[in-house]
Amino acid sequence: MKQFIIENFVNAKKLAVINSGRFEKIIIESNFSNNRINNIYRAKIVKKIPSMDAVFIDYGGENNGFLKLENLNKLGALYPNSSLNIGDNVMVQLIKEEKGVKRAKFTTDISIQGRYVVLVSNSEKILFSSKIKSSQERSRLGSIVEEIISELKVKNGFIIRTESVGLEKDRLKKDIEKVCKDYADIQRLYGQKFDSECIFSSGGDILKFIESNFDDNVEQIVCSFEDGFAEDEIFLEDIKNIMKKHGRENLTKFVKVSGADVFESHGINNMLKKYKSRKIWMDKGAYIVIDKAEAMTVVDVNSGRNIGTGDYENAILNINLSAASEISEQIMVRDISGIILIDFIDMKKEENREKIIDEMNRKFGCDDRKSKIHGFTKLGLLEISRMRKNDSFENYYLKDGISDTKSDNSLIDELERLLIYTKYHLNKNILNIYSIDGAGALKKCIEKFGAVGEEFQHELIFNESLLTSRSHVLDKLKEKYNMEIKVNRIV
């Protein structure tokens, strides 16, 4: 049975999935950086770029977006009366956020995600998740969906998701009806609007995850909140509304927690430690080391003292198989993407390398990202590529995502934990924190802490630049907990 544990903090919401006591995944949703992927917009063509076979579109954002001409040509074939010139409107969906000088990227192939299917506009094909391997199951599901499409007179394509495996017609039909209604509502709203703007928001990652994954296997959803804080009340109500769709009796599974750090009380913080570390220990002294560079991630497998007894090759194979399982889990939980190279302990037999590849493919079978095991290179390194989507787990918790140093996000989260402790355990309404700027101030602060002793054990030292850049978060923390945060500057 599964538990969803939600740390509902000011800086970010985090949902941890615990399956039979084992940590499975974490979803991090920043409250201050708006994730717009899959949002749908009414946009206007503002400039054609013939050299790039593309156009720039005004979608209501700060900068114009980028749309390939092939998308417009496809749209023109479906709607021949549209000239699709500068000034024309078009419905688009965001597929890639802008980054640096690169503009946000859009498509006219609108997709509406349901629990079991994805509706795809500009198409009438039925496609399948690559993870549905059984040809018999594909044939069965395809026949059911074709029958439903005929009954509903739908003229869109669908992708049948992995979650649909084993389902009967009634549940698939309800899901198809839902996504068709959502798309019809979006089309109607598009026709009613005049300006370039967002007409459909895909919502937060955590609510989307709950909506797609809440079922009878989930025995409990635990969420922290602060009584009287409006934003928390709205979030709790959104969760309850999702649960009620599966029957009001499911509300008994919802547990609200106030005045406590739910990640600490449920052991999540302790579980997360090995996903923040550069060096991860395995059984019997073996370990792996994960290093991130700008262009790739490199993982090194070491036997330590674990060389076993008897057959050396077999002992090395067992260590590598154990490492393959751990590395797969690390990649998926940390959400490592791009190029990944793994330096396993050298094996002489080709069949043993194949066993490693088979184990990696098996573990990545449950990955919700597109990934590929390319095999061993001439240098004996296993090469993997994994699709990049959002900022990774490491980028949230670690400074620059490549060190054991805590990030600014981690420090802000620690500040909120300290606020909870101060308010509910020390029964105080003022929290003292210390601000430093430069090495000299740090030295003075350490001397001051050393002189005062235990009085400072529940207080934090922050860099002045961090407090300045996150002043809006501090203001929200004060509002949420109705406390004063007193900043003591040491110079």
Side-chain angles (χ1 to χ4, degrees):
M1 298 294 283
K2 293 184 178 182
Q3 287 180 299
F4 295 165
I5 313 297
I6 304 171
E7 182 184 70
N8 182 21
F9 273 10
V10 164
N11 191 53
K13 300 179 182 73
K14 305 173 202 72
L15 183 150
V17 179
I18 307 300
N19 191 352
S20 300
R22 180 180 172 83
F23 182 85
E24 196 169 89
K25 78 178 293 173
I26 186 168
I27 298 167
I28 301 173
E29 179 186 319
S30 172
N31 292 326
F32 293 96
S33 60
N34 188 20
N35 178 18
R36 305 176 300 172
I37 296 295
N38 292 327
N39 283 3
I40 298 172
Y41 296 82
R42 177 187 172 92
K44 182 181 291 184
I45 300 170
V46 293
K47 187 175 182 180
K48 291 187 176 182
I49 315 294
S51 62
M52 301 174 68
D53 289 327
V55 296
F56 288 158
I57 56 171
D58 172 14
Y59 64 99
E62 204 169 305
N63 300 308
N64 290 332
F66 178 85
L67 179 67
K68 290 289 286 184
L69 275 175
E70 62 188 41
N71 275 277
L72 285 177
N73 293 337
K74 188 187 300 182
L75 200 65
L78 288 169
Y79 305 101
N81 293 329
S82 174
S83 59
L84 298 175
N85 290 317
I86 292 175
D88 285 343
N89 295 309
V90 62
M91 186 192 297
V92 295
Q93 188 166 32
L94 181 65
I95 56 175
K96 198 170 187 179
E97 284 277 16
E98 61 181 61
K99 188 174 183 179
V101 296
K102 292 185 179 179
R103 297 173 185 265
K105 189 176 179 181
F106 291 83
T107 180
T108 56
D109 292 330
I110 308 299
S111 63
I112 309 296
Q113 183 170 302
R115 185 166 191 175
Y116 305 119
V117 299
V118 178
L119 180 149
V120 182
S121 69
N122 306 341
S123 172
E124 294 185 7
K125 293 180 180 179
I126 296 175
L127 303 174
F128 298 87
S129 164
S130 60
K131 293 175 184 176
I132 303 177
K133 304 295 184 184
S134 169
S135 57
Q136 186 176 355
E137 181 65 3
R138 284 187 172 217
S139 177
R140 187 188 74 84
L141 288 170
S143 297
I144 293 174
V145 171
E146 282 180 356
E147 188 178 333
I148 295 169
I149 288 173
S150 176
E151 290 175 5
L152 299 178
K153 297 181 173 56
V154 177
K155 297 198 174 177
N156 294 111
F158 290 90
I159 300 171
I160 301 176
R161 301 183 66 193
T162 312
E163 289 81 357
S164 66
V165 171
L167 293 183
E168 298 302 325
K169 180 180 175 180
D170 58 338
R171 294 179 72 181
L172 282 167
K173 187 173 183 178
K174 285 181 182 177
D175 201 45
I176 290 173
E177 286 175 335
K178 179 184 179 299
V179 294
C180 287
K181 180 183 181 302
D182 289 344
Y183 186 46
D185 291 343
I186 291 167
Q187 288 178 306
R188 184 167 56 254
L189 191 59
Y190 174 80
Q192 293 171 350
K193 297 290 183 179
F194 296 98
D195 297 325
S196 297
E197 60 181 292
C198 179
I199 56 175
F200 171 78
S201 174
S202 59
D205 290 339
I206 287 177
L207 291 176
K208 281 191 290 185
F209 178 84
I210 295 173
E211 187 154 23
S212 296
N213 293 275
F214 182 74
D215 55 27
D216 292 340
N217 291 321
V218 178
E219 64 177 349
Q220 195 177 57
I221 297 180
V222 180
C223 184
S224 64
F225 82 108
E226 184 68 12
D227 195 26
F229 187 56
E231 292 175 25
D232 281 5
E233 297 293 344
I234 292 169
F235 182 61
L236 295 182
E237 199 60 35
D238 288 340
I239 295 173
K240 288 195 287 187
N241 288 335
I242 292 171
M243 297 175 76
K244 282 191 286 189
K245 291 178 184 177
H246 299 268
R248 294 189 65 87
E249 65 276 7
N250 284 297
L251 291 177
T252 59
K253 298 180 178 182
F254 190 45
V255 179
K256 301 185 296 181
V257 178
S258 180
D261 179 358
V262 291
F263 266 25
E264 189 65 36
S265 60
H266 284 78
I268 308 298
N269 288 334
N270 194 49
M271 293 178 188
L272 289 175
K273 285 180 181 177
K274 78 168 184 174
Y275 302 105
K276 300 177 185 178
S277 300
R278 175 175 175 264
K279 188 174 185 178
I280 300 97
W281 290 95
M282 301 187 297
D283 292 338
K284 299 177 182 178
Y287 61 94
I288 61 174
V289 176
I290 301 176
D291 285 311
K292 289 194 73 175
E294 189 171 344
M296 68 183 69
T297 301
V298 180
V299 186
D300 188 32
V301 181
N302 296 273
S303 63
R305 298 178 181 178
N306 182 12
I307 57 173
T309 57
D311 184 3
Y312 178 80
E313 179 76 6
N314 192 54
I316 293 303
L317 172 62
N318 288 333
I319 293 171
N320 283 339
L321 285 171
S322 178
S325 178
E326 179 64 41
I327 291 167
S328 302
E329 183 181 327
Q330 289 283 336
I331 289 171
M332 287 186 281
V333 171
R334 294 179 186 231
D335 203 9
I336 299 172
S337 57
I339 299 170
I340 304 162
L341 296 178
I342 306 172
D343 186 8
F344 286 101
I345 303 169
D346 290 340
M347 295 170 288
K348 295 178 181 179
K349 297 179 181 179
E350 182 61 31
E351 63 188 80
N352 288 342
R353 295 190 187 92
E354 291 300 323
K355 288 179 182 177
I356 297 299
I357 293 173
D358 289 344
E359 174 65 9
M360 296 294 287
N361 278 317
R362 185 184 71 81
K363 295 291 288 188
F364 276 104
C366 62
D367 191 9
D368 58 3
R369 297 287 176 84
K370 186 177 180 181
S371 53
K372 186 174 181 180
I373 314 297
H374 296 277
F376 284 90
T377 68
K378 291 181 179 179
L379 294 174
L381 305 174
L382 185 66
E383 184 181 359
I384 301 172
S385 59
R386 189 167 183 266
M387 186 178 72
R388 181 178 284 107
K389 189 177 179 183
N390 301 322
D391 277 347
S392 68
F393 166 95
E394 292 176 317
N395 285 339
Y396 184 86
Y397 281 109
L398 304 177
K399 187 174 178 62
D400 302 322
I402 56 173
S403 70
D404 287 330
T405 307
K406 292 177 182 178
S407 67
D408 289 352
N409 289 317
S410 285
L411 293 171
I412 292 296
D413 284 349
E414 286 190 5
L415 174 58
E416 184 156 359
R417 290 191 181 96
L418 191 53
L419 276 169
I420 294 170
Y421 185 88
T422 303
K423 180 175 181 177
Y424 290 100
H425 296 271
L426 300 181
N427 297 315
K428 295 181 179 179
N429 60 6
I430 298 176
L431 173 66
N432 283 295
I433 62 174
Y434 292 83
S435 167
I436 60 171
D437 189 8
L442 176 59
K443 183 179 179 182
K444 287 182 182 178
C445 197
I446 292 172
E447 290 172 353
K448 185 178 181 68
F449 269 54
V452 177
E454 291 189 1
E455 181 184 340
F456 287 85
Q457 65 179 331
H458 299 303
E459 297 170 0
L460 292 176
I461 308 172
F462 287 91
N463 189 291
E464 177 69 26
S465 61
L466 168 60
L467 295 179
T468 301
S469 64
R470 299 296 182 99
S471 60
H472 58 293
V473 184
L474 265 64
D475 290 341
K476 187 65 73 173
L477 284 168
K478 295 174 188 176
E479 177 190 347
K480 178 175 180 175
Y481 294 100
N482 193 26
M483 287 181 64
E484 181 184 348
I485 300 175
K486 185 178 179 182
V487 180
N488 301 280
R489 289 178 170 79
I490 298 178
V491 295

